[in-house]
């Protein structure tokens, strides 16, 4: 073997090493972008050399909001809610979110119900002068809540007149998945996307620093006070809690997760439910569903599902975790 050959082999080896070195997340620039969508601060962090990528991702968030918002006129959801019982043709994306919502409703026996909108409309959880709605009006609104009456046929959606939908219980999780998919397709191997308590991680921290750690908000304390943290590699960590939107009146916490049977905020001793799994849309729907189901039934549902783990927080500050979730707790 001559010297020339050895040099060629070395040159090839060095090239390979150089290229793979460039793929290591640590060699890429950490970038962060923040926006406000779905009434929530969205913070995207990713290691990428593309200075425009995160702005593109935020533009996608705006596009999804334009389809799924209940309040933006001409969104798909707005058109469904104002169709007076007539079929409405929606985008593929909206049809996919509706399929997801209906699946979570079936899984949870209706604890999750996207047709909860007429009851939601009677509550103002964030206004200056919060009130408990009139019981008769709430009862009447609750009568209109029934996901089995929402008919999906491909991209055609039909909802009986008087009913309305609200995708707030799944939309953020579903969108977070889509944004993660976009970033992965564009070469991102390390990132963390936070949609207001709805977190998706891409890979691990750069430079071999291990899995991302996602803090879980203590429902009883101001924002940023974490009860525990979970290791999350390519996982979504989604929390539903009483602290997100709500008010206190005469010693009672009224919050935005409603019992579809009564239209009243769920009061079952839970203050938060966190779901961990690879599919953030499903995890988001489930976190709302498990909150409504309560501790016992909630644990039964997650135990019956492959790849989904949960952590329940009670109003006494107790934390109950499924074994898979407990294994992720940062000690
Ligand atoms: P967050 O929006 O804080 O992430 P959730 O995922 O738990 O919290 O979603 C709560 C939202 O879901 C409410 O603001 C409302 O729009 C909707 N919602 C409330 N109760 C239900 C329910 N029982 N089933 C489905 N959606 C619900
Ligand atoms: Mg949810």
């Amino acid at each position: 073997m001559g010297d020339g050959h050895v040099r060629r082999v070395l040159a090839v080896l060095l090239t390979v090493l150089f290229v793979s070195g460039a793929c290591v997340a640590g060699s890429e620039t950490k970038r962060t972008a923040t926006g406000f969508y779905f009434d929530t601060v969205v913070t995207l962090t990713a290691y990428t050399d593309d200075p425009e990528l995160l702005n593109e991702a935020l533009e996608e968030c705006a596009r999804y909001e334009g389809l799924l918002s209940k309040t933006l006129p001409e969104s798909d959801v707005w058109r469904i809610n104002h169709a007076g019982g007539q079929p409405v043709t929606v985008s593929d994306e909206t049809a996919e979110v509706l399929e997801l919502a209906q699946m979570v409703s079936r899984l949870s026996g209706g604890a999750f119900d996207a047709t909860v909108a007429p009851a939601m409309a009677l509550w103002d959880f964030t206004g200056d002068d919060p009130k408990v709605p009139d019981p008769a009006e709430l009862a009447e609104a609750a009568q209109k809540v029934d996901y089995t009456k929402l008919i999906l046929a491909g991209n055609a959606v039909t909802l009986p007149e008087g009913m309305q939908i609200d995708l707030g219980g799944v939309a953020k999780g579903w969108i977070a998945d889509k944004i993660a998919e976009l970033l992965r397709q564009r070469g991102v191997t390390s990132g963390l996307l936070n949609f207001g308590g709805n977190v998706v991680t891409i890979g691990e921290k750069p430079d071999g620093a291990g899995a991302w750690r996602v803090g879980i908000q203590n429902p009883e304390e101001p924002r940023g006070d974490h009860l525990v943290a979970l290791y999350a590699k390519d996982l979504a960590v989604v929390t539903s809690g009483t602290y997100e939107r709500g008010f206190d009146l005469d010693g009672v916490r009224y919050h935005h997760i409603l019992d579809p049977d009564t239209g009243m905020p769920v009061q079952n001793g839970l203050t938060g439910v966190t779901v961990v799994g690879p599919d953030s849309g499903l995890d988001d729907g489930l976190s709302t569903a498990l909150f409504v189901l309560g501790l016992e039934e909630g644990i039964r549902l997650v135990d019956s599902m492959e790849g989904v783990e949960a952590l329940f927080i009670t109003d006494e500050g107790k934390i109950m975790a499924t074994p898979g979730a407990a294994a992720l707790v940062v000690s």
Side-chain angles (χ1 to χ4, degrees):
M1 205 191 287
D3 262 336
H5 183 75
V6 171
R7 267 199 299 272
R8 269 200 306 279
V9 170
L10 264 180
V12 169
L13 264 179
L14 282 174
T15 312
V16 170
L17 284 176
F18 178 76
V19 171
S20 67
C23 292
V24 172
S27 71
E28 288 160 337
T29 310
K30 179 181 183 180
R31 296 180 195 276
T32 302
T34 301
F36 191 73
Y37 307 96
F38 339 103
D39 261 344
T40 304
V41 178
V42 172
T43 307
L44 311 177
T45 303
Y47 288 80
T48 173
D49 287 332
D50 180 348
E52 283 309 311
L53 183 55
L54 292 187
N55 284 334
E56 268 179 59
L58 289 181
E59 278 166 25
E60 277 294 275
C61 291
R63 188 174 73 81
Y64 290 131
E65 184 174 34
L67 296 174
L68 302 172
S69 161
K70 188 175 58 172
T71 47
L72 285 180
E74 298 310 317
S75 75
D76 280 350
V77 168
W78 192 91
R79 290 188 303 113
I80 292 167
N81 287 346
H82 294 84
Q86 295 302 307
V88 173
T89 303
V90 299
S91 62
D92 291 348
E93 289 95 334
T94 303
E96 200 179 307
V97 183
L98 285 166
E99 291 282 0
L100 169 66
Q102 294 295 78
M103 182 180 79
V104 177
S105 294
R106 289 190 293 270
L107 278 171
S108 65
F112 184 95
D113 195 322
T115 68
V116 75
M120 277 301 285
L122 296 177
W123 292 92
D124 177 8
F125 292 113
T126 50
D128 293 336
D129 181 24
K131 289 190 228 10
V132 177
D134 175 57
E137 275 184 63
L138 257 188
E140 199 189 321
Q143 292 281 313
K144 297 179 189 161
V145 180
D146 182 358
Y147 73 94
T148 64
K149 300 221 170 78
L150 171 70
I151 308 300
L152 293 175
N155 292 49
V157 183
T158 314
L159 191 65
E161 174 143 41
M163 287 178 67
Q164 296 214 332
I165 58 166
D166 176 341
L167 294 174
V170 278
K172 277 184 284 176
W174 181 88
I175 293 164
D177 269 341
K178 293 288 165 187
I179 300 299
E181 201 178 299
L182 166 75
L183 299 185
R184 283 197 177 98
Q185 273 170 7
R186 299 280 288 273
V188 173
T189 57
S190 176
L192 186 142
L193 318 178
N194 191 343
F195 287 63
N198 201 318
V199 175
V200 175
T201 64
I202 300 175
E204 302 198 320
K205 288 194 271 187
D207 295 331
W212 293 102
R213 295 163 186 219
V214 180
I216 295 175
Q217 171 70 29
N218 182 344
E220 314 276 357
E221 298 295 334
R223 254 181 194 287
D225 186 336
H226 294 152
L227 211 51
V228 285
L230 301 182
Y231 287 114
K233 178 186 177 188
D234 288 313
L235 281 177
V237 179
V238 182
T239 302
S240 285
T242 55
Y243 56 91
E244 272 297 328
R245 278 168 230 284
F247 59 89
D248 294 290
L249 196 68
D250 302 328
V252 179
R253 178 77 183 157
Y254 296 93
H255 61 86
H256 72 149
I257 303 170
L258 303 184
D259 180 338
D261 291 333
T262 62
M264 285 292 285
V266 173
Q267 313 280 358
N268 59 12
L270 291 178
T271 51
V273 177
T274 298
V275 176
V276 189
D279 181 332
S280 143
L282 177 65
D283 298 343
D284 189 2
L286 281 176
S287 71
T288 309
L290 297 182
F291 194 102
V292 177
L293 286 174
L295 187 59
E296 266 177 45
E297 276 192 64
I299 285 190
R300 214 173 300 147
L301 178 55
V302 265
D303 278 350
S304 75
M305 295 183 67
E306 197 78 25
V308 186
E309 304 294 338
L311 192 144
F312 298 78
I313 303 168
T314 73
D315 54 11
E316 290 166 339
K318 281 206 192 111
I319 303 177
M320 245 77 74
T322 59
L328 297 172
V329 171
V330 177
S331 53

